[in-house]
Each structure stands twice: as structure tokens, then as C-alpha cells.
Amino acid sequence: VTIMYMLVGVLVEVVGVIASSEKEGMTVSFVASRLREKMDTMGHSPDAPITKYAMHDIICEPEVGQMLTAVNVDVVVLMDSLDMQYEDLAKQGGHMTFEKMVDLVLNGRGSNFATVRDTKEVLRILKTLVRASTTEIEKKLSQEFGQIAASLNMLQEAADGGDGDQDMDVSLLEADMLMIEEDGIEAGKEEEEEGELKVEEVM
């Protein structure tokens, strides 16, 4: 009896694996056929390399978006990852094919198990977002320091020319520096909020 129960358990497990494989095959076939039909309708050849603009155009189609949502694909995350996907292809000297597009779309399903590759991809995306935010902040700080330097030069010129208008120049300089500091704080907060929103969208 025990052996019979073990065999029944193994049989149930095998049937479950086969059912999952069949379901996955049907999903892949459904998504591929619908994407191929939509590309033909929009004038994009499935056999030709797919540009980033064409990819964006296809995914933004309402019918495609509904179909992807039906198979549990996160369309927002998929759109955000397009730039990096095409950057990787450019570094490798390749191009986006129809098969790669289907694989990319199906990898964006929320029901997929997370792998080490997915973790590395998330970390790479986070690093890219942080690097972009840091570059923008450094650019703004450089501009603000340039304004401060210009104000200091004006103050020095006023001091060299005479002390009559020095008090007024100092007041103007203090006002300019206060405005620059407030603008820098607000810009930093905006960049931080945008970075957090992007990270939340990625996660």
C-alpha cells in the first residue's frame, strides 16, 4: 500500500510538471502569434531587426498592452527596461529579433521566479539610475558654484573701486547665495524623489 501511494504521488507530480509545460507552451505560442499579427498590421516585419522606436510603438498599442497584462506582464517595467536592453545589444554588436522580443516580454511576467540574473539586472538598473541622478546634481552644483564665483568677482571689483557701495553689494551677494542654496536644496529633493519613484517602479 505504501509503495502504491508513493507511485501515485510521483504520478501526480509528473502530471503537474507536464501540465505546467503545456500551459507555458500555449502562453508562448499565444503571445508570439498575437505580436506577429500586430506587427504585420502596423507594417513592421517580424523577420527584420526591431528598432527601439518600433518596439516602443508596438508595446504602446492598446491591444498589445491588454494582451500583455492578461498574461501578467508588467508593461511599465518592460518599457523602462527597453533603453538598457538595447544598450546591452549595442555593446554585444547584436540587434533585437522577434524571438528576443518575445523572450524579453515573457521574462517580464510577475509570476516568474527571481533568479540570480534578475537580481544582477535590478542592481545594474539601480546603479544606472543613481549614476544619472548624481551626474545631474553635479551639473547643477557646478552651475551654482559658477554663479557664486561671479558674485564674488563682482564684490571684489566693488571693493577695489571704493567702499561706498560695498554694503549694498554684500547684501546682493548674500541674497544671491541664499537663493542659490534654496534652489540647490529643492533640486536635491526633487532628484531624490524622482530616484525613489524610479526605484519603486523598477522593483
Side-chain angles (χ1 to χ4, degrees), residues 159-173:
D160 294 340
D163 297 333
D165 298 330
Q166 183 174 0
D167 294 336
M168 182 176 64
D169 290 335
V170 170
S171 299
L172 291 175
L173 176 60

Side-chain angles (χ1 to χ4, degrees), residues 71-100:
V71 295
N72 201 24
V73 173
D74 194 330
V75 180
V76 176
V77 174
L78 178 62
M79 293 294 294
D80 288 340
S81 64
L82 284 183
D83 290 337
M84 295 183 184
Q85 294 293 338
Y86 275 88
E87 286 178 4
D88 289 343
L89 289 174
K91 292 178 181 178
Q92 297 171 3
H95 55 268
M96 181 67 71
T97 62
F98 180 77
E99 290 76 13
K100 291 180 181 178

Side-chain angles (χ1 to χ4, degrees), residues 168-187:
M168 182 176 64
D169 290 335
V170 170
S171 299
L172 291 175
L173 176 60
E174 291 176 350
D176 289 340
M177 293 181 66
L178 181 60
M179 291 178 61
I180 291 172
E181 182 179 0
E182 292 176 351
D183 292 340
I185 294 174
E186 292 178 358

Side-chain angles (χ1 to χ4, degrees), residues 126-144:
L126 292 177
K127 288 180 180 178
T128 303
L129 293 175
V130 171
R131 190 181 301 112
S133 299
T134 303
T135 302
E136 186 66 22
I137 292 174
E138 289 178 352
K139 181 179 179 181
K140 290 183 178 180
L141 287 176
S142 178
Q143 294 175 352
E144 291 170 0

Side-chain angles (χ1 to χ4, degrees), residues 137 183-196:
I137 292 174
D183 292 340
I185 294 174
E186 292 178 358
K189 290 182 178 179
E190 291 177 357
E191 290 294 334
E192 183 178 358
E193 292 175 356
E194 291 178 0
E196 292 177 354

Side-chain angles (χ1 to χ4, degrees), residues 30 34-35 38-39 41-42 54-71 73 75 79:
F30 170 73
R34 291 294 299 273
L35 286 175
K38 195 61 183 178
M39 289 180 67
T41 303
M42 298 174 64
M55 184 80 165
H56 185 279
D57 193 24
I58 294 168
I59 297 176
C60 286
E61 276 292 310
E63 295 180 5
V64 175
Q66 293 176 2
M67 183 267 295
L68 296 179
T69 303
V71 295
V73 173
V75 180
M79 293 294 294

Side-chain angles (χ1 to χ4, degrees), residues 72-75 78 103-110 112:
N72 201 24
V73 173
D74 194 330
V75 180
L78 178 62
D103 184 61
L104 175 63
V105 167
L106 293 177
N107 285 337
R109 288 177 293 176
N112 292 346

